[in-house]
Amino acid sequence: QVQLVESGGGLVQAGGSLRLSCAASGNILRLNAMGWYRQAPGKQRELVATIGSGGSTNYGDSVKGRFTVSRDNAKSTVYLQMNSLKREDTAVYYCKARIGPVDYWGKGTLVTVSL
């Protein structure tokens, strides 16, 4: 059994910053890539950023240069530092972890960016 627990969402003004965290626990011996996706109301879920077990990263075009993904392998935790937030960043942010051949998802954390 695997648990992914996200934290750090909330309300922030445009131009501000937030840091999300996602801790994996349980049967995570084969933990590989971790990352973040988001889903805004009425839109499909989209890639925000991923990071491999060796540190290689991949970002969605809309967040490049503003968001930074990192991980602490000792803590099985992935982070998302979000800077220069825009209203269009408002969404539920989901953590994803690949363990062996299976992808696991967190329950999501809401990020709301106000004017």
Side-chain angles (χ1 to χ4, degrees), residues 7-42:
S7 61
L11 176 65
V12 63
Q13 285 189 325
S17 299
L18 277 177
R19 188 190 194 211
L20 305 183
S21 300
C22 171
S25 62
N27 188 9
I28 58 171
L29 187 62
R30 298 172 65 191
L31 180 62
N32 196 333
M34 300 182 78
W36 296 93
Y37 290 73
R38 67 185 182 187
Q39 188 166 17

Side-chain angles (χ1 to χ4, degrees), residues 12-17 82-87 89 113-115:
V12 63
Q13 285 189 325
S17 299
M82 305 185 291
N83 298 329
S84 303
L85 283 160
K86 305 175 182 179
R87 284 204 71 188
D89 294 319
V113 183
S114 65
L115 288 174

Side-chain angles (χ1 to χ4, degrees), residues 31-55:
L31 180 62
N32 196 333
M34 300 182 78
W36 296 93
Y37 290 73
R38 67 185 182 187
Q39 188 166 17
K43 295 187 177 182
Q44 290 187 330
R45 193 172 295 190
E46 64 173 359
L47 167 72
V48 176
T50 61
I51 183 166
S53 56

Side-chain angles (χ1 to χ4, degrees), residues 71-91:
R71 66 189 285 170
D72 183 334
N73 289 330
K75 296 181 179 180
S76 302
T77 299
V78 62
Y79 305 96
L80 184 68
Q81 178 65 44
M82 305 185 291
N83 298 329
S84 303
L85 283 160
K86 305 175 182 179
R87 284 204 71 188
E88 50 264 43
D89 294 319
T90 295

